Amino acid sequence: MPSLDPGGTILLSLTGPGIGGNFFLLVKHVHIFVMGPKKKPIDLILIHLAFANAMTLCTGAISDVITALHFSNILGNFGCKATIYLGRVARGLSICTTCLLSVVQAITISPRITFWRKLKPWTAWQVLPCLFFFWIFNFFISSNLLHYITTVGSMNRSETGPYVGYCYMLPSKQIVRWLFLTLMALRDIIFQGLMGWSSGYMALHLYNHHKRVFYLQSFRFAKKSSPEIRATQSTLILMTCFLFFYWADFIFSFYVGSTLTNDSVILHITRVLGFGYASLSPLVLISRDVCIAKCCNAH
């Protein structure tokens, strides 16, 4: 009877709670969205983020379990393509939705007289075009995987190395490879740039607001009026979590790709970093999204 190796056990211990946390967050905000009198944009964004992160972890868990148990042909060529493709799309959706969450919160707390305030989505349906664009865009920039990913049984193993466990990636033309890599790089640069701007803006705005409250009111009152400060902390924790795992994953993946190392420890670390944000983000949101909601309602 096949058994999981230590690396597979660690990955499943990370993805298991992450999947549970994201589904809890998904169900919670779907209930709030459906039952609430007002369809708030923040709830729809959190639903989408939880769904994207859950999809990332589910596809990763499928790959890890099949690889660890040596069931290389259980999904076949179609299953191999679908698992890798949906996993890539889900990670792109997570990046885009995290950025949208940060930007919407920054616009929400901006002064009413500023230009950015005019961009605030007042209903959930105003957010739908952005989410629809995220799906179309990420479907497109990952579409090369549908052609170049194949199973072990569909090719000669000597042609190229494994892409993920039981799946292999066929050689592609250089222009195709650089086109899709460029699109992915532009996506990450643009959306991370927006994350950095919005997070910095919120931190600066709320810090100044806190100072004004501190000087105008008693210290006791200022200490109690903390929903905005806690909302900023929630956002900054989430952004810091994302940036840490993204860049750590990038560094390790670049090292593996450039050195072609087969060190199992390095490979397992890379996989853990790839799932870290999707697993930990629901814990941040579940524990602090009440404060975010209070901040949005206050404005």
PDB file of all heavy atoms in Angstrom, residues 28 285-295:
ATOM      1  N   LYS A  28     -19.178  31.609   4.749  1.00  0.00           N
ATOM      2  CA  LYS A  28     -19.547  32.731   5.628  1.00  0.00           C
ATOM      3  C   LYS A  28     -19.957  33.951   4.831  1.00  0.00           C
ATOM      4  O   LYS A  28     -21.018  34.560   5.091  1.00  0.00           O
ATOM      5  CB  LYS A  28     -18.369  33.062   6.541  1.00  0.00           C
ATOM      6  CG  LYS A  28     -18.591  34.294   7.410  1.00  0.00           C
ATOM      7  CD  LYS A  28     -17.350  34.609   8.230  1.00  0.00           C
ATOM      8  CE  LYS A  28     -17.548  35.881   9.048  1.00  0.00           C
ATOM      9  NZ  LYS A  28     -16.340  36.215   9.835  1.00  0.00           N
ATOM     10  N   LEU A 285      -8.000  36.707   7.415  1.00  0.00           N
ATOM     11  CA  LEU A 285      -9.293  37.320   7.121  1.00  0.00           C
ATOM     12  C   LEU A 285     -10.378  36.892   8.095  1.00  0.00           C
ATOM     13  O   LEU A 285     -11.229  37.689   8.495  1.00  0.00           O
ATOM     14  CB  LEU A 285      -9.703  36.976   5.688  1.00  0.00           C
ATOM     15  CG  LEU A 285      -8.850  37.632   4.606  1.00  0.00           C
ATOM     16  CD1 LEU A 285      -9.175  37.052   3.240  1.00  0.00           C
ATOM     17  CD2 LEU A 285      -9.049  39.133   4.603  1.00  0.00           C
ATOM     18  N   ILE A 286     -10.379  35.631   8.472  1.00  0.00           N
ATOM     19  CA  ILE A 286     -11.392  35.141   9.402  1.00  0.00           C
ATOM     20  C   ILE A 286     -11.278  35.851  10.749  1.00  0.00           C
ATOM     21  O   ILE A 286     -12.275  36.202  11.376  1.00  0.00           O
ATOM     22  CB  ILE A 286     -11.276  33.618   9.586  1.00  0.00           C
ATOM     23  CG1 ILE A 286     -11.749  32.894   8.327  1.00  0.00           C
ATOM     24  CG2 ILE A 286     -12.084  33.139  10.784  1.00  0.00           C
ATOM     25  CD1 ILE A 286     -11.452  31.408   8.320  1.00  0.00           C
ATOM     26  N   SER A 287     -10.051  36.076  11.185  1.00  0.00           N
ATOM     27  CA  SER A 287      -9.841  36.681  12.502  1.00  0.00           C
ATOM     28  C   SER A 287     -10.025  38.194  12.507  1.00  0.00           C
ATOM     29  O   SER A 287     -10.277  38.789  13.548  1.00  0.00           O
ATOM     30  CB  SER A 287      -8.435  36.340  13.018  1.00  0.00           C
ATOM     31  OG  SER A 287      -7.450  36.882  12.164  1.00  0.00           O
ATOM     32  N   ARG A 288      -9.927  38.829  11.322  1.00  0.00           N
ATOM     33  CA  ARG A 288      -9.920  40.292  11.309  1.00  0.00           C
ATOM     34  C   ARG A 288     -10.912  40.931  10.349  1.00  0.00           C
ATOM     35  O   ARG A 288     -11.017  42.149  10.309  1.00  0.00           O
ATOM     36  CB  ARG A 288      -8.505  40.779  10.966  1.00  0.00           C
ATOM     37  CG  ARG A 288      -7.424  40.208  11.869  1.00  0.00           C
ATOM     38  CD  ARG A 288      -6.077  40.782  11.502  1.00  0.00           C
ATOM     39  NE  ARG A 288      -6.007  42.185  11.865  1.00  0.00           N
ATOM     40  CZ  ARG A 288      -5.499  42.643  13.009  1.00  0.00           C
ATOM     41  NH1 ARG A 288      -5.024  41.802  13.905  1.00  0.00           N
ATOM     42  NH2 ARG A 288      -5.471  43.927  13.263  1.00  0.00           N
ATOM     43  N   ASP A 289     -11.657  40.144   9.550  1.00  0.00           N
ATOM     44  CA  ASP A 289     -12.529  40.769   8.563  1.00  0.00           C
ATOM     45  C   ASP A 289     -13.694  41.497   9.190  1.00  0.00           C
ATOM     46  O   ASP A 289     -14.323  42.339   8.573  1.00  0.00           O
ATOM     47  CB  ASP A 289     -13.020  39.760   7.531  1.00  0.00           C
ATOM     48  CG  ASP A 289     -13.921  38.696   8.146  1.00  0.00           C
ATOM     49  OD1 ASP A 289     -14.021  38.636   9.390  1.00  0.00           O
ATOM     50  OD2 ASP A 289     -14.511  37.898   7.390  1.00  0.00           O
ATOM     51  N   VAL A 290     -13.998  41.207  10.469  1.00  0.00           N
ATOM     52  CA  VAL A 290     -15.033  41.966  11.166  1.00  0.00           C
ATOM     53  C   VAL A 290     -14.614  43.430  11.286  1.00  0.00           C
ATOM     54  O   VAL A 290     -15.409  44.341  11.116  1.00  0.00           O
ATOM     55  CB  VAL A 290     -15.301  41.362  12.553  1.00  0.00           C
ATOM     56  CG1 VAL A 290     -16.243  42.256  13.348  1.00  0.00           C
ATOM     57  CG2 VAL A 290     -15.875  39.962  12.414  1.00  0.00           C
ATOM     58  N   CYS A 291     -13.336  43.641  11.556  1.00  0.00           N
ATOM     59  CA  CYS A 291     -12.824  45.005  11.682  1.00  0.00           C
ATOM     60  C   CYS A 291     -12.866  45.718  10.342  1.00  0.00           C
ATOM     61  O   CYS A 291     -13.166  46.913  10.249  1.00  0.00           O
ATOM     62  CB  CYS A 291     -11.392  44.980  12.220  1.00  0.00           C
ATOM     63  SG  CYS A 291     -11.252  44.255  13.862  1.00  0.00           S
ATOM     64  N   ILE A 292     -12.568  44.989   9.255  1.00  0.00           N
ATOM     65  CA  ILE A 292     -12.613  45.574   7.922  1.00  0.00           C
ATOM     66  C   ILE A 292     -14.046  45.999   7.589  1.00  0.00           C
ATOM     67  O   ILE A 292     -14.291  47.068   7.060  1.00  0.00           O
ATOM     68  CB  ILE A 292     -12.085  44.580   6.873  1.00  0.00           C
ATOM     69  CG1 ILE A 292     -10.602  44.283   7.135  1.00  0.00           C
ATOM     70  CG2 ILE A 292     -12.258  45.125   5.471  1.00  0.00           C
ATOM     71  CD1 ILE A 292     -10.030  43.212   6.220  1.00  0.00           C
ATOM     72  N   ALA A 293     -14.995  45.119   7.904  1.00  0.00           N
ATOM     73  CA  ALA A 293     -16.405  45.433   7.622  1.00  0.00           C
ATOM     74  C   ALA A 293     -16.851  46.660   8.396  1.00  0.00           C
ATOM     75  O   ALA A 293     -17.583  47.511   7.892  1.00  0.00           O
ATOM     76  CB  ALA A 293     -17.269  44.228   7.966  1.00  0.00           C
ATOM     77  N   LYS A 294     -16.429  46.785   9.667  1.00  0.00           N
ATOM     78  CA  LYS A 294     -16.798  47.942  10.481  1.00  0.00           C
ATOM     79  C   LYS A 294     -16.226  49.219   9.869  1.00  0.00           C
ATOM     80  O   LYS A 294     -16.875  50.263   9.853  1.00  0.00           O
ATOM     81  CB  LYS A 294     -16.283  47.773  11.912  1.00  0.00           C
ATOM     82  CG  LYS A 294     -17.057  46.741  12.733  1.00  0.00           C
ATOM     83  CD  LYS A 294     -16.497  46.671  14.145  1.00  0.00           C
ATOM     84  CE  LYS A 294     -17.280  45.661  14.976  1.00  0.00           C
ATOM     85  NZ  LYS A 294     -16.739  45.519  16.354  1.00  0.00           N
ATOM     86  N   CYS A 295     -14.999  49.107   9.372  1.00  0.00           N
ATOM     87  CA  CYS A 295     -14.367  50.294   8.766  1.00  0.00           C
ATOM     88  C   CYS A 295     -15.134  50.734   7.527  1.00  0.00           C
ATOM     89  O   CYS A 295     -15.394  51.908   7.313  1.00  0.00           O
ATOM     90  CB  CYS A 295     -12.907  49.972   8.400  1.00  0.00           C
ATOM     91  SG  CYS A 295     -12.051  51.305   7.557  1.00  0.00           S
TER      92      CYS A 295
END
